[in-house]
PDB file of all heavy atoms in Angstrom:
ATOM      1  N   ALA A  23       0.817  -1.229  -0.026  1.00  0.00           N
ATOM      2  CA  ALA A  23       0.016  -0.017  -0.008  1.00  0.00           C
ATOM      3  C   ALA A  23       0.846   1.250   0.028  1.00  0.00           C
ATOM      4  O   ALA A  23       0.368   2.354  -0.319  1.00  0.00           O
ATOM      5  CB  ALA A  23      -0.965  -0.022   1.236  1.00  0.00           C
ATOM      6  N   ASN A  24       2.173   1.104   0.359  1.00  0.00           N
ATOM      7  CA  ASN A  24       3.030   2.278   0.438  1.00  0.00           C
ATOM      8  C   ASN A  24       4.204   2.225  -0.514  1.00  0.00           C
ATOM      9  O   ASN A  24       4.875   3.224  -0.666  1.00  0.00           O
ATOM     10  CB  ASN A  24       3.548   2.390   1.913  1.00  0.00           C
ATOM     11  CG  ASN A  24       2.439   2.805   2.827  1.00  0.00           C
ATOM     12  OD1 ASN A  24       2.215   3.953   3.086  1.00  0.00           O
ATOM     13  ND2 ASN A  24       1.833   1.801   3.475  1.00  0.00           N
ATOM     14  N   PHE A  25       4.484   1.092  -1.148  1.00  0.00           N
ATOM     15  CA  PHE A  25       5.621   0.888  -2.050  1.00  0.00           C
ATOM     16  C   PHE A  25       5.174   0.067  -3.235  1.00  0.00           C
ATOM     17  O   PHE A  25       4.231  -0.618  -3.150  1.00  0.00           O
ATOM     18  CB  PHE A  25       6.749   0.235  -1.399  1.00  0.00           C
ATOM     19  CG  PHE A  25       7.396   1.009  -0.241  1.00  0.00           C
ATOM     20  CD1 PHE A  25       6.990   0.931   1.069  1.00  0.00           C
ATOM     21  CD2 PHE A  25       8.536   1.759  -0.532  1.00  0.00           C
ATOM     22  CE1 PHE A  25       7.589   1.660   2.066  1.00  0.00           C
ATOM     23  CE2 PHE A  25       9.158   2.494   0.413  1.00  0.00           C
ATOM     24  CZ  PHE A  25       8.682   2.484   1.760  1.00  0.00           C
ATOM     25  N   PRO A  26       5.801   0.282  -4.414  1.00  0.00           N
ATOM     26  CA  PRO A  26       5.435  -0.489  -5.579  1.00  0.00           C
ATOM     27  C   PRO A  26       5.788  -2.000  -5.394  1.00  0.00           C
ATOM     28  O   PRO A  26       6.653  -2.351  -4.543  1.00  0.00           O
ATOM     29  CB  PRO A  26       6.350   0.065  -6.664  1.00  0.00           C
ATOM     30  CG  PRO A  26       7.467   0.786  -5.994  1.00  0.00           C
ATOM     31  CD  PRO A  26       6.926   1.214  -4.653  1.00  0.00           C
ATOM     32  N   ALA A  27       5.169  -2.813  -6.182  1.00  0.00           N
ATOM     33  CA  ALA A  27       5.347  -4.260  -6.023  1.00  0.00           C
ATOM     34  C   ALA A  27       6.783  -4.723  -6.285  1.00  0.00           C
ATOM     35  O   ALA A  27       7.242  -5.755  -5.838  1.00  0.00           O
ATOM     36  CB  ALA A  27       4.370  -5.048  -6.974  1.00  0.00           C
ATOM     37  N   GLY A  28       7.527  -3.875  -7.126  1.00  0.00           N
ATOM     38  CA  GLY A  28       8.902  -4.207  -7.410  1.00  0.00           C
ATOM     39  C   GLY A  28       9.819  -4.296  -6.241  1.00  0.00           C
ATOM     40  O   GLY A  28      10.960  -4.791  -6.305  1.00  0.00           O
ATOM     41  N   VAL A  29       9.366  -3.788  -5.081  1.00  0.00           N
ATOM     42  CA  VAL A  29      10.247  -3.856  -3.911  1.00  0.00           C
ATOM     43  C   VAL A  29      10.281  -5.247  -3.278  1.00  0.00           C
ATOM     44  O   VAL A  29      11.241  -5.575  -2.543  1.00  0.00           O
ATOM     45  CB  VAL A  29       9.675  -2.833  -2.839  1.00  0.00           C
ATOM     46  CG1 VAL A  29       8.491  -3.399  -2.160  1.00  0.00           C
ATOM     47  CG2 VAL A  29      10.771  -2.510  -1.843  1.00  0.00           C
ATOM     48  N   LEU A  30       9.337  -6.120  -3.604  1.00  0.00           N
ATOM     49  CA  LEU A  30       9.215  -7.429  -2.968  1.00  0.00           C
ATOM     50  C   LEU A  30      10.474  -8.288  -3.246  1.00  0.00           C
ATOM     51  O   LEU A  30      10.945  -8.922  -2.262  1.00  0.00           O
ATOM     52  CB  LEU A  30       7.962  -8.177  -3.438  1.00  0.00           C
ATOM     53  CG  LEU A  30       6.671  -7.702  -2.777  1.00  0.00           C
ATOM     54  CD1 LEU A  30       5.522  -8.389  -3.412  1.00  0.00           C
ATOM     55  CD2 LEU A  30       6.706  -7.900  -1.255  1.00  0.00           C
ATOM     56  N   PRO A  31      10.991  -8.399  -4.470  1.00  0.00           N
ATOM     57  CA  PRO A  31      12.198  -9.248  -4.620  1.00  0.00           C
ATOM     58  C   PRO A  31      13.367  -8.812  -3.789  1.00  0.00           C
ATOM     59  O   PRO A  31      14.098  -9.662  -3.206  1.00  0.00           O
ATOM     60  CB  PRO A  31      12.560  -9.048  -6.109  1.00  0.00           C
ATOM     61  CG  PRO A  31      11.222  -8.752  -6.719  1.00  0.00           C
ATOM     62  CD  PRO A  31      10.488  -7.872  -5.777  1.00  0.00           C
ATOM     63  N   ASN A  32      13.601  -7.516  -3.609  1.00  0.00           N
ATOM     64  CA  ASN A  32      14.623  -7.018  -2.738  1.00  0.00           C
ATOM     65  C   ASN A  32      14.371  -7.375  -1.232  1.00  0.00           C
ATOM     66  O   ASN A  32      15.284  -7.719  -0.504  1.00  0.00           O
ATOM     67  CB  ASN A  32      14.781  -5.483  -2.884  1.00  0.00           C
ATOM     68  CG  ASN A  32      15.298  -5.084  -4.258  1.00  0.00           C
ATOM     69  OD1 ASN A  32      16.033  -5.870  -4.875  1.00  0.00           O
ATOM     70  ND2 ASN A  32      14.869  -3.977  -4.751  1.00  0.00           N
ATOM     71  N   MET A  33      13.086  -7.322  -0.891  1.00  0.00           N
ATOM     72  CA  MET A  33      12.782  -7.656   0.516  1.00  0.00           C
ATOM     73  C   MET A  33      13.005  -9.142   0.791  1.00  0.00           C
ATOM     74  O   MET A  33      13.366  -9.512   1.879  1.00  0.00           O
ATOM     75  CB  MET A  33      11.287  -7.288   0.773  1.00  0.00           C
ATOM     76  CG  MET A  33      11.019  -5.733   0.770  1.00  0.00           C
ATOM     77  SD  MET A  33      12.079  -4.788   1.888  1.00  0.00           S
ATOM     78  CE  MET A  33      11.815  -5.676   3.431  1.00  0.00           C
ATOM     79  N   TYR A  34      12.736  -9.932  -0.215  1.00  0.00           N
ATOM     80  CA  TYR A  34      12.972 -11.395  -0.043  1.00  0.00           C
ATOM     81  C   TYR A  34      14.412 -11.680   0.201  1.00  0.00           C
ATOM     82  O   TYR A  34      14.798 -12.555   0.979  1.00  0.00           O
ATOM     83  CB  TYR A  34      12.403 -12.173  -1.222  1.00  0.00           C
ATOM     84  CG  TYR A  34      10.939 -12.179  -1.364  1.00  0.00           C
ATOM     85  CD1 TYR A  34      10.287 -12.091  -2.657  1.00  0.00           C
ATOM     86  CD2 TYR A  34      10.106 -12.280  -0.264  1.00  0.00           C
ATOM     87  CE1 TYR A  34       8.970 -12.041  -2.758  1.00  0.00           C
ATOM     88  CE2 TYR A  34       8.726 -12.233  -0.375  1.00  0.00           C
ATOM     89  CZ  TYR A  34       8.129 -12.146  -1.623  1.00  0.00           C
ATOM     90  OH  TYR A  34       6.772 -12.106  -1.793  1.00  0.00           O
ATOM     91  N   LEU A  35      15.300 -10.956  -0.486  1.00  0.00           N
ATOM     92  CA  LEU A  35      16.763 -11.093  -0.294  1.00  0.00           C
ATOM     93  C   LEU A  35      17.134 -10.671   1.103  1.00  0.00           C
ATOM     94  O   LEU A  35      17.955 -11.344   1.747  1.00  0.00           O
ATOM     95  CB  LEU A  35      17.487 -10.315  -1.404  1.00  0.00           C
ATOM     96  CG  LEU A  35      17.445 -10.832  -2.836  1.00  0.00           C
ATOM     97  CD1 LEU A  35      18.107  -9.832  -3.744  1.00  0.00           C
ATOM     98  CD2 LEU A  35      18.104 -12.182  -2.924  1.00  0.00           C
ATOM     99  N   VAL A  36      16.573  -9.540   1.566  1.00  0.00           N
ATOM    100  CA  VAL A  36      16.910  -9.044   2.873  1.00  0.00           C
ATOM    101  C   VAL A  36      16.460 -10.084   3.946  1.00  0.00           C
ATOM    102  O   VAL A  36      17.127 -10.393   4.873  1.00  0.00           O
ATOM    103  CB  VAL A  36      16.162  -7.681   3.111  1.00  0.00           C
ATOM    104  CG1 VAL A  36      16.272  -7.283   4.595  1.00  0.00           C
ATOM    105  CG2 VAL A  36      16.814  -6.649   2.200  1.00  0.00           C
ATOM    106  N   ASN A  37      15.280 -10.699   3.755  1.00  0.00           N
ATOM    107  CA  ASN A  37      14.705 -11.669   4.647  1.00  0.00           C
ATOM    108  C   ASN A  37      15.609 -12.909   4.644  1.00  0.00           C
ATOM    109  O   ASN A  37      15.773 -13.526   5.764  1.00  0.00           O
ATOM    110  CB  ASN A  37      13.268 -12.071   4.279  1.00  0.00           C
ATOM    111  CG  ASN A  37      12.297 -10.997   4.588  1.00  0.00           C
ATOM    112  OD1 ASN A  37      12.660  -9.966   5.141  1.00  0.00           O
ATOM    113  ND2 ASN A  37      11.068 -11.214   4.110  1.00  0.00           N
ATOM    114  N   SER A  38      16.208 -13.349   3.555  1.00  0.00           N
ATOM    115  CA  SER A  38      16.977 -14.475   3.420  1.00  0.00           C
ATOM    116  C   SER A  38      18.306 -14.192   4.316  1.00  0.00           C
ATOM    117  O   SER A  38      18.821 -15.098   4.980  1.00  0.00           O
ATOM    118  CB  SER A  38      17.402 -14.809   2.019  1.00  0.00           C
ATOM    119  OG  SER A  38      16.291 -15.107   1.253  1.00  0.00           O
ATOM    120  N   LEU A  39      18.795 -13.033   4.174  1.00  0.00           N
ATOM    121  CA  LEU A  39      20.007 -12.602   5.019  1.00  0.00           C
ATOM    122  C   LEU A  39      19.652 -12.657   6.470  1.00  0.00           C
ATOM    123  O   LEU A  39      20.456 -13.230   7.281  1.00  0.00           O
ATOM    124  CB  LEU A  39      20.473 -11.250   4.599  1.00  0.00           C
ATOM    125  CG  LEU A  39      21.710 -10.671   5.424  1.00  0.00           C
ATOM    126  CD1 LEU A  39      22.899 -11.553   5.236  1.00  0.00           C
ATOM    127  CD2 LEU A  39      22.031  -9.247   4.992  1.00  0.00           C
ATOM    128  N   PHE A  40      18.532 -12.087   6.881  1.00  0.00           N
ATOM    129  CA  PHE A  40      18.142 -12.145   8.268  1.00  0.00           C
ATOM    130  C   PHE A  40      17.998 -13.607   8.797  1.00  0.00           C
ATOM    131  O   PHE A  40      18.381 -13.936   9.847  1.00  0.00           O
ATOM    132  CB  PHE A  40      16.843 -11.383   8.488  1.00  0.00           C
ATOM    133  CG  PHE A  40      16.997  -9.898   8.590  1.00  0.00           C
ATOM    134  CD1 PHE A  40      16.142  -9.097   7.910  1.00  0.00           C
ATOM    135  CD2 PHE A  40      18.042  -9.375   9.277  1.00  0.00           C
ATOM    136  CE1 PHE A  40      16.252  -7.715   7.947  1.00  0.00           C
ATOM    137  CE2 PHE A  40      18.200  -7.984   9.357  1.00  0.00           C
ATOM    138  CZ  PHE A  40      17.306  -7.146   8.691  1.00  0.00           C
ATOM    139  N   LEU A  41      17.414 -14.445   7.914  1.00  0.00           N
ATOM    140  CA  LEU A  41      17.236 -15.840   8.314  1.00  0.00           C
ATOM    141  C   LEU A  41      18.556 -16.568   8.559  1.00  0.00           C
ATOM    142  O   LEU A  41      18.716 -17.297   9.475  1.00  0.00           O
ATOM    143  CB  LEU A  41      16.491 -16.589   7.176  1.00  0.00           C
ATOM    144  CG  LEU A  41      16.268 -18.063   7.365  1.00  0.00           C
ATOM    145  CD1 LEU A  41      15.465 -18.396   8.658  1.00  0.00           C
ATOM    146  CD2 LEU A  41      15.505 -18.650   6.151  1.00  0.00           C
ATOM    147  N   PHE A  42      19.525 -16.302   7.677  1.00  0.00           N
ATOM    148  CA  PHE A  42      20.833 -16.855   7.823  1.00  0.00           C
ATOM    149  C   PHE A  42      21.522 -16.452   9.123  1.00  0.00           C
ATOM    150  O   PHE A  42      21.972 -17.308   9.890  1.00  0.00           O
ATOM    151  CB  PHE A  42      21.730 -16.475   6.614  1.00  0.00           C
ATOM    152  CG  PHE A  42      23.171 -16.955   6.718  1.00  0.00           C
ATOM    153  CD1 PHE A  42      23.471 -18.229   6.588  1.00  0.00           C
ATOM    154  CD2 PHE A  42      24.164 -15.997   7.020  1.00  0.00           C
ATOM    155  CE1 PHE A  42      24.823 -18.676   6.658  1.00  0.00           C
ATOM    156  CE2 PHE A  42      25.441 -16.448   7.087  1.00  0.00           C
ATOM    157  CZ  PHE A  42      25.844 -17.774   6.962  1.00  0.00           C
ATOM    158  N   LEU A  43      21.467 -15.170   9.441  1.00  0.00           N
ATOM    159  CA  LEU A  43      22.104 -14.614  10.633  1.00  0.00           C
ATOM    160  C   LEU A  43      21.448 -15.150  11.870  1.00  0.00           C
ATOM    161  O   LEU A  43      22.078 -15.482  12.845  1.00  0.00           O
ATOM    162  CB  LEU A  43      22.085 -13.139  10.600  1.00  0.00           C
ATOM    163  CG  LEU A  43      22.972 -12.453   9.491  1.00  0.00           C
ATOM    164  CD1 LEU A  43      22.751 -10.966   9.537  1.00  0.00           C
ATOM    165  CD2 LEU A  43      24.385 -12.821   9.646  1.00  0.00           C
ATOM    166  N   MET A  44      20.088 -15.208  11.798  1.00  0.00           N
ATOM    167  CA  MET A  44      19.315 -15.661  12.961  1.00  0.00           C
ATOM    168  C   MET A  44      19.591 -17.144  13.220  1.00  0.00           C
ATOM    169  O   MET A  44      19.711 -17.592  14.360  1.00  0.00           O
ATOM    170  CB  MET A  44      17.793 -15.465  12.739  1.00  0.00           C
ATOM    171  CG  MET A  44      16.913 -15.911  13.854  1.00  0.00           C
ATOM    172  SD  MET A  44      15.163 -15.837  13.354  1.00  0.00           S
ATOM    173  CE  MET A  44      15.104 -17.072  12.073  1.00  0.00           C
ATOM    174  N   SER A  45      19.657 -17.975  12.198  1.00  0.00           N
ATOM    175  CA  SER A  45      19.952 -19.375  12.368  1.00  0.00           C
ATOM    176  C   SER A  45      21.260 -19.616  12.997  1.00  0.00           C
ATOM    177  O   SER A  45      21.422 -20.482  13.894  1.00  0.00           O
ATOM    178  CB  SER A  45      19.881 -20.060  10.994  1.00  0.00           C
ATOM    179  OG  SER A  45      18.596 -19.923  10.406  1.00  0.00           O
ATOM    180  N   LEU A  46      22.319 -18.898  12.585  1.00  0.00           N
ATOM    181  CA  LEU A  46      23.638 -18.990  13.126  1.00  0.00           C
ATOM    182  C   LEU A  46      23.591 -18.704  14.647  1.00  0.00           C
ATOM    183  O   LEU A  46      24.185 -19.380  15.479  1.00  0.00           O
ATOM    184  CB  LEU A  46      24.665 -18.093  12.445  1.00  0.00           C
ATOM    185  CG  LEU A  46      25.089 -18.483  11.065  1.00  0.00           C
ATOM    186  CD1 LEU A  46      26.029 -17.386  10.501  1.00  0.00           C
ATOM    187  CD2 LEU A  46      25.656 -19.830  11.021  1.00  0.00           C
ATOM    188  N   ALA A  47      22.922 -17.611  14.969  1.00  0.00           N
ATOM    189  CA  ALA A  47      22.805 -17.193  16.407  1.00  0.00           C
ATOM    190  C   ALA A  47      22.039 -18.233  17.224  1.00  0.00           C
ATOM    191  O   ALA A  47      22.505 -18.563  18.320  1.00  0.00           O
ATOM    192  CB  ALA A  47      22.170 -15.870  16.519  1.00  0.00           C
ATOM    193  N   LEU A  48      20.917 -18.701  16.654  1.00  0.00           N
ATOM    194  CA  LEU A  48      20.096 -19.643  17.499  1.00  0.00           C
ATOM    195  C   LEU A  48      20.742 -20.967  17.688  1.00  0.00           C
ATOM    196  O   LEU A  48      20.696 -21.529  18.763  1.00  0.00           O
ATOM    197  CB  LEU A  48      18.748 -19.827  16.737  1.00  0.00           C
ATOM    198  CG  LEU A  48      17.640 -20.495  17.555  1.00  0.00           C
ATOM    199  CD1 LEU A  48      17.325 -19.743  18.774  1.00  0.00           C
ATOM    200  CD2 LEU A  48      16.409 -20.720  16.696  1.00  0.00           C
ATOM    201  N   ILE A  49      21.426 -21.480  16.688  1.00  0.00           N
ATOM    202  CA  ILE A  49      22.083 -22.765  16.762  1.00  0.00           C
ATOM    203  C   ILE A  49      23.145 -22.757  17.881  1.00  0.00           C
ATOM    204  O   ILE A  49      23.324 -23.766  18.612  1.00  0.00           O
ATOM    205  CB  ILE A  49      22.725 -23.154  15.397  1.00  0.00           C
ATOM    206  CG1 ILE A  49      21.609 -23.520  14.407  1.00  0.00           C
ATOM    207  CG2 ILE A  49      23.718 -24.306  15.573  1.00  0.00           C
ATOM    208  CD1 ILE A  49      22.136 -23.742  12.991  1.00  0.00           C
ATOM    209  N   SER A  50      23.847 -21.640  17.977  1.00  0.00           N
ATOM    210  CA  SER A  50      24.860 -21.484  18.999  1.00  0.00           C
ATOM    211  C   SER A  50      24.342 -21.339  20.413  1.00  0.00           C
ATOM    212  O   SER A  50      25.065 -21.529  21.382  1.00  0.00           O
ATOM    213  CB  SER A  50      25.856 -20.327  18.652  1.00  0.00           C
ATOM    214  OG  SER A  50      25.189 -19.109  18.670  1.00  0.00           O
ATOM    215  N   LEU A  51      23.112 -20.818  20.537  1.00  0.00           N
ATOM    216  CA  LEU A  51      22.580 -20.529  21.875  1.00  0.00           C
ATOM    217  C   LEU A  51      21.533 -21.518  22.390  1.00  0.00           C
ATOM    218  O   LEU A  51      21.332 -21.554  23.608  1.00  0.00           O
ATOM    219  CB  LEU A  51      21.963 -19.134  21.746  1.00  0.00           C
ATOM    220  CG  LEU A  51      22.884 -17.967  21.620  1.00  0.00           C
ATOM    221  CD1 LEU A  51      22.070 -16.653  21.458  1.00  0.00           C
ATOM    222  CD2 LEU A  51      23.807 -17.797  22.862  1.00  0.00           C
ATOM    223  N   ILE A  52      20.888 -22.217  21.477  1.00  0.00           N
ATOM    224  CA  ILE A  52      19.668 -22.930  21.862  1.00  0.00           C
ATOM    225  C   ILE A  52      19.875 -23.947  22.991  1.00  0.00           C
ATOM    226  O   ILE A  52      19.009 -24.096  23.906  1.00  0.00           O
ATOM    227  CB  ILE A  52      19.038 -23.631  20.609  1.00  0.00           C
ATOM    228  CG1 ILE A  52      17.578 -24.130  20.955  1.00  0.00           C
ATOM    229  CG2 ILE A  52      19.910 -24.797  20.161  1.00  0.00           C
ATOM    230  CD1 ILE A  52      16.671 -22.988  21.189  1.00  0.00           C
ATOM    231  N   ASP A  53      20.994 -24.586  23.014  1.00  0.00           N
ATOM    232  CA  ASP A  53      21.269 -25.560  24.102  1.00  0.00           C
ATOM    233  C   ASP A  53      21.542 -24.918  25.429  1.00  0.00           C
ATOM    234  O   ASP A  53      21.407 -25.553  26.455  1.00  0.00           O
ATOM    235  CB  ASP A  53      22.421 -26.470  23.681  1.00  0.00           C
ATOM    236  CG  ASP A  53      21.954 -27.604  22.671  1.00  0.00           C
ATOM    237  OD1 ASP A  53      20.814 -27.871  22.626  1.00  0.00           O
ATOM    238  OD2 ASP A  53      22.880 -28.069  21.997  1.00  0.00           O
ATOM    239  N   ARG A  54      21.987 -23.675  25.421  1.00  0.00           N
ATOM    240  CA  ARG A  54      22.325 -22.987  26.675  1.00  0.00           C
ATOM    241  C   ARG A  54      21.148 -22.286  27.347  1.00  0.00           C
ATOM    242  O   ARG A  54      21.138 -22.004  28.521  1.00  0.00           O
ATOM    243  CB  ARG A  54      23.393 -21.955  26.368  1.00  0.00           C
ATOM    244  CG  ARG A  54      24.642 -22.443  25.761  1.00  0.00           C
ATOM    245  CD  ARG A  54      25.586 -21.313  25.339  1.00  0.00           C
ATOM    246  NE  ARG A  54      26.758 -21.762  24.584  1.00  0.00           N
ATOM    247  CZ  ARG A  54      27.874 -22.223  25.067  1.00  0.00           C
ATOM    248  NH1 ARG A  54      28.000 -22.211  26.455  1.00  0.00           N
ATOM    249  NH2 ARG A  54      28.848 -22.655  24.376  1.00  0.00           N
TER     250      ARG A  54
END
């Protein structure tokens, strides 16, 4: 509603990066 639809592919790339970083952090902490 606030940005053109063309922004979605870039947002998916950003989300993938966040997922990678979050997975690394969670794997190292989850047992503790």
Side-chain angles (χ1 to χ4, degrees):
N24 291 272
F25 291 87
V29 75
L30 283 176
N32 294 327
M33 292 306 305
Y34 292 141
L35 289 175
V36 172
N37 288 355
S38 298
L39 176 61
F40 280 137
L41 176 60
F42 174 73
L43 296 174
M44 180 188 66
S45 299
L46 288 179
L48 191 61
I49 289 171
S50 64
L51 292 174
I52 194 64
D53 282 337
R54 304 173 186 272

